[in-house]
Amino acid sequence: MKITSARVIVTSPGRNFVTLKIETDQGISGIGDATLNGREMAVVSYLEDHLVPLLLGRDPHRIEDIWQLLYRGAYWRRGPVTMSAISAVDMALWDIKGKVAGLPVYQLLGGASRDGVLVYGHANGPDIDETIDEVGRYIELGYRAIRVQSGIPGVKGAYGVGRGQMYYEPADSALPTETRWDTAAYLNFAPKLFEKVRETHGFDIELLHDVHHRLTPIEAAKLGKSLEQFRLFWMEDCTPVENPQAFRLVRKHTVTPLAVGEIFNSVHDCRELIENQLIDYIRATVVHAGGITGLKQISSLAALYQVRTGCHGATDLSPVCMAAALNFDLWVPNFGIQEYMRHTEETNEVFPHSYSFADGYLHPGDSPGLGVEIDEDLAAKYPYEPRQLPVARLADGTMWNW
Ligand SMILES: O=C(O)[C@@H](O)[C@@H](O)[C@H](O)[C@H](O)CO
Ligand SMILES: [Mg+2]
């Protein structure tokens, strides 16, 4: 079997997605997600200019060998652009292997370890009352785990608060939107938010919260401590992770479980946090961490330390990534939870898929391969739109972490 073509498709049904399609001499094709939010075209160029020529004529069954070729062969290892490109190739090859075998990819990985994949949805609102109503709506929809984010009085553009219901799209304009950040206001507000959510909705539902890199380690420790009584499933990205040792300080002060890793792109980024048991959930995901092959390396290391997976699943990860993540999640022994931010109808039409939601769980379905396709005619109707993620500044104008 030989790869005869590899094409990059950029489409923007509400937001930008980059998809790689690999075709073979046996008429079987596979697709992979290569979306890097706000930096999409860098990955398009990496794929078209540097990887596609390397793929032509190769045997698509040699997934591991091609992964090693692209990883080692670049000389310049790792980094989000390189690893998103490698991820797309890896996903497309697993898709092809599944289609040849006539099996969903989770069967090739070792089969299902569970009946369904526990997911968490996003409830958010401009203030506490509306956020609490949103949590109620998610409970009615059947969710068992819900991420809660709310607007904060005096903070312009708090992270995680959407402009409409169900969909949250932070990359909202061609040049970054400027938001404000106020740590003191947030630290006062967050415990009040969770107190009200627990008061209204009780303790039977799992609650999660994303701090989105906004705090220093000691502030993060303080927040974790003040939220302990509300028994969060996790507190995410509580402080920037360039220095993993910062998490020692957080850990020393709180038993609120910690989740990190949505911006990681290799097992090496995860190693120090995992080996020192500084986190409870690793958030690396298929599209940014080297595909299913990269994620297998990460989850195997994590399993040794009882760290569980909690793959990133925001809407900037396309349904192709979601399908791959769900095949991985259904198999991976040390699964924790999967993020599930719903895509818009337009996006779902461009990427028809076999995964489905019921009772708080997603299932990848049993279509051969990843269980997702791209409707290329429809995709062509939504041209690329330059969009970047927002930035955040403090009240005095100092640049902060968005
Ligand atoms: O946990 C999450 O889903 C996030 O932190 C994302 O919304 C993140 O901001 C985006 O994926 C950035 O592209
Ligand atoms: Mg996050």
Side-chain angles (χ1 to χ4, degrees), residues 87-273:
S87 301
V89 174
D90 186 80
M91 272 180 254
L93 297 182
W94 278 102
D95 194 22
I96 290 171
K97 199 183 275 299
K99 286 175 181 165
V100 172
L103 291 170
V105 166
Y106 75 82
Q107 294 290 14
L108 307 181
L109 293 171
S113 300
R114 53 198 55 83
D115 301 329
V117 171
L118 178 70
V119 295
Y120 69 91
H122 285 210
N124 59 72
D127 56 33
I128 293 193
D129 289 342
E130 284 195 43
T131 304
I132 284 180
D133 291 348
E134 267 305 282
V135 173
R137 223 155 68 82
Y138 272 84
I139 293 172
E140 274 168 32
L141 287 168
Y143 284 81
R144 294 158 191 268
I146 302 168
R147 182 183 102 156
V148 183
Q149 309 289 140
S150 166
I152 306 164
V155 174
K156 179 188 152 221
Y159 167 76
V161 182
R163 280 155 300 166
Q165 306 286 323
M166 299 301 283
Y167 309 113
Y168 167 60
E169 293 299 348
D172 55 4
S173 66
L175 292 174
T177 300
E178 290 221 349
T179 63
R180 289 279 157 171
W181 182 247
D182 182 336
T183 296
Y186 171 66
L187 289 177
N188 282 332
F189 178 81
K192 290 183 194 137
L193 168 67
F194 281 94
E195 184 178 4
K196 286 253 172 86
V197 177
R198 284 299 189 205
E199 237 172 61
T200 315
H201 295 295
F203 278 79
D204 289 342
I205 186 92
E206 299 286 8
L207 299 179
L208 300 87
H209 183 64
D210 192 347
V211 185
H212 222 255
H213 328 271
R214 301 299 167 91
L215 302 177
T216 64
I218 197 67
E219 290 162 354
K222 188 174 182 178
L223 177 66
K225 220 167 164 177
S226 68
L227 295 178
E228 268 170 22
Q229 56 190 312
F230 309 118
R231 291 220 311 271
L232 262 53
F233 186 92
W234 79 34
M235 174 168 84
E236 175 180 335
D237 289 338
C238 60
T239 193
V241 73
E242 284 96 334
N243 169 24
Q245 293 303 318
F247 282 80
R248 277 196 194 280
L249 201 142
V250 183
R251 239 347 185 206
K252 219 181 261 175
H253 295 285
T254 181
V255 294
T256 294
L258 304 177
V260 176
E262 66 181 41
I263 63 169
F264 286 171
N265 36 70
S266 84
V267 65
H268 305 286
D269 297 328
C270 312
R271 193 180 53 76
E272 214 171 321
L273 287 175

